[in-house]
Amino acid sequence: MAQTDYDIIIAGAGLAGATFALAAAQGGLKPVLVDPQPFDAQLAPTFDGRSTAVAYSTFRMLDALGLGESLRPHACRMDRILVTDGKRPGAASRPPSPAFIRFDAEEIGDRNGGEPLGYMLENRRIRTGLAQAVTAAGIEVRAPAAVAAVDVGPGLATVTLKDGSTMQAPLVVGAEGRGSTVRQAAGIDTFGWSYGQSGVVATVRLGRDHGNVAHEYFLPDGPFAILPLTEQRASLVWTESTRRAEALKAASDEAFHAHLMRRFGEFLDGVEVVGPRFVYPLSLSLAEKLVAPRIAILGDAAHGVHPVAGQGLNMGLKDAAALAEVLSDAVRIGEDIGSELVLERYARWRRFDNAALAAGFDGFVRLFSNDLPPVRLARDLGMAAVNRIAPLRRAFMHEAGGATGDLPRLLRGESL
């Protein structure tokens, strides 16, 4: 028997899907989450070893959705970001470039209320906070359950689950990642490519205080980020060729530590790797459309970008905020939330921003992930210019903080 007790069926109860469910519920809609993973499994420390740089505008959104109190004890401020052009390890390498960019939150404190440039949060902490908030809001979660098919009819979409049961709602939202079944059912194509790189992620305990400073070194094989966490820890995001990344994952603890110290021994003096290592392949994926009849997609289902600027989750939660606002405004004036007219408002709002950021990050990776002398000279001159021109530097910081453009209300810290 088909159920029509919901306004929105959300495929994917991960970070973007669960956040959207909370935003939609706050806006007066009744969502249901469907996910193939048991909901409790997502809370295990080994489920997702990554940490996320949460822009200060995104943290305002989480605050407005009621997660601030549970997340703040685990959120580490990023008050400064230091970007430098590195070198290959080894005595035969040319010396590192003197060019650098220093971003300091104090420079824009008068415009952002004293917020940091962002907050570093372990993904498992965000998942736990979301799970508590979803439960407190009374949002139904069907897990483990997976979407097998989506059929669109007049006024309703019917979702068939892999166990054969069906559900109906005026709108289906795909938030289940790059392999989104909902996106495929809607006939939305993607384009993109692999970078031939993987991100090696590990958490380390530092031998000295990190001072809430994030470091990003651009090496010929990809960026290496040292991102501050609470309890004098840091998250390392180490980009290598896929072959080397897999070798680092399989290496013994002693060998991994030796490779780490060979590259960053002076800075990481006294470092201790804590917890498991994770490897994530890196690629670009961008959906050609964000909506189809009675279907919308968001988060990684709509765009997957290189983590060079740590903006992937921020982009996904901005999608969630925009879609929730469009739908809540529509339902208040009696519109059909799954209609083409309503969904196109969301698509117009997010289409250009997503495409521009994806293209920008791709260009950034290509500019920095090589060691060609002419390219190296050009990027070093660019870094030096940004570091000397204060208005340009402040513009970069506001953009990274997600505080530019036509912001959804949640990203301004306002409830729906």
Side-chain angles (χ1 to χ4, degrees), residues 9-18 20 33-37 42 47 50 127 145-150 159-162 172-186 188 295-303:
I9 300 168
I10 305 168
L15 301 181
F20 171 67
L33 286 160
V34 178
D35 197 278
Q37 293 283 346
Q42 296 193 48
F47 184 84
R50 291 169 291 187
R127 290 183 187 279
V147 173
V150 182
V159 170
T160 303
L161 303 181
K162 287 190 175 178
V172 179
V173 171
E176 72 273 55
R178 297 193 185 200
S180 170
T181 301
V182 171
R183 186 190 65 229
Q184 294 167 14
I188 299 175
I295 289 175
I297 58 174
L298 58 80
D300 283 357
H303 43 73

Side-chain angles (χ1 to χ4, degrees), residues 19 22 59 62-72 126 129-130 133:
T19 303
L22 286 170
F59 201 87
L62 297 173
D63 227 344
L65 293 174
L67 278 75
E69 186 177 347
S70 64
L71 294 181
R72 266 196 185 80
I126 306 175
L130 285 170

